[in-house]
Amino acid sequence: MTPYVAALAVGILLGVAGQMLLKAGAAGDTLLKQFLAPQSILGLGLYFAAAVCYMLALRKIPVSVAFPSVSLSYVIVALLAYWMMGETLGPQKLAGIALICGGVFLIARQA
C-alpha cells in the first residue's frame, strides 16, 4: 500500500468518525447548541483532517478513482449506524451498499 492509498484510507475513516460525531452532537435543542456541542466541534475537526488526507492522496491517485472510493464512507456509516444507533438496514439499503461496493471495486481495478 502506497502512502497515498493509506492517506485516502485514513481520510475515509476520519470522515466516517467525523460523521458519527456530528450525529452524536445533533441532540442539541437549537442549531447553535448542536454546532457548539463538543462532539460536533470534534467531528468538524475530523472532517478537516480527512480533507487534508484526501488532498495528500490526490497528489498521486487520479480523482476519478479517489472520489468514488470516498463513497465507501457511506457503506461504513450505514453499518455503524445500524450497529451503534439502532438504525434500520433494510433490503433497499443493503442493495445500495452492494452497488456502492461493486462500483468502487470496478473503478479501483482499473487504476
Side-chain angles (χ1 to χ4, degrees):
M1 178 182 308
T2 69
Y4 302 100
V5 173
L8 180 60
V10 169
I12 291 169
L13 294 176
L14 287 172
V16 166
Q19 181 63 42
M20 298 304 288
L21 284 166
L22 288 176
K23 176 63 176 172
D29 296 337
T30 65
L31 186 58
L32 182 60
K33 285 183 181 177
Q34 180 180 346
F35 186 74
L36 296 176
Q39 300 96 327
S40 296
I41 293 169
L42 183 56
L44 291 171
L46 290 178
Y47 266 175
F48 177 77
V52 171
C53 290
Y54 185 68
M55 290 170 62
L56 177 62
L58 287 176
R59 296 178 84 188
K60 297 291 180 180
I61 300 172
V63 72
S64 62
V65 174
F67 190 66
S69 298
V70 174
S71 66
L72 290 174
S73 65
Y74 302 139
V75 173
I76 299 167
V77 166
L79 295 174
L80 287 175
Y82 172 76
W83 287 316
M84 296 173 63
M85 298 175 180
E87 294 187 13
T88 61
L89 202 57
Q92 287 182 319
K93 286 183 185 176
L94 290 172
I97 286 170
L99 288 171
I100 290 170
C101 291
V104 171
F105 174 76
L106 291 174
I107 289 170
R109 281 189 61 198
Q110 291 178 340

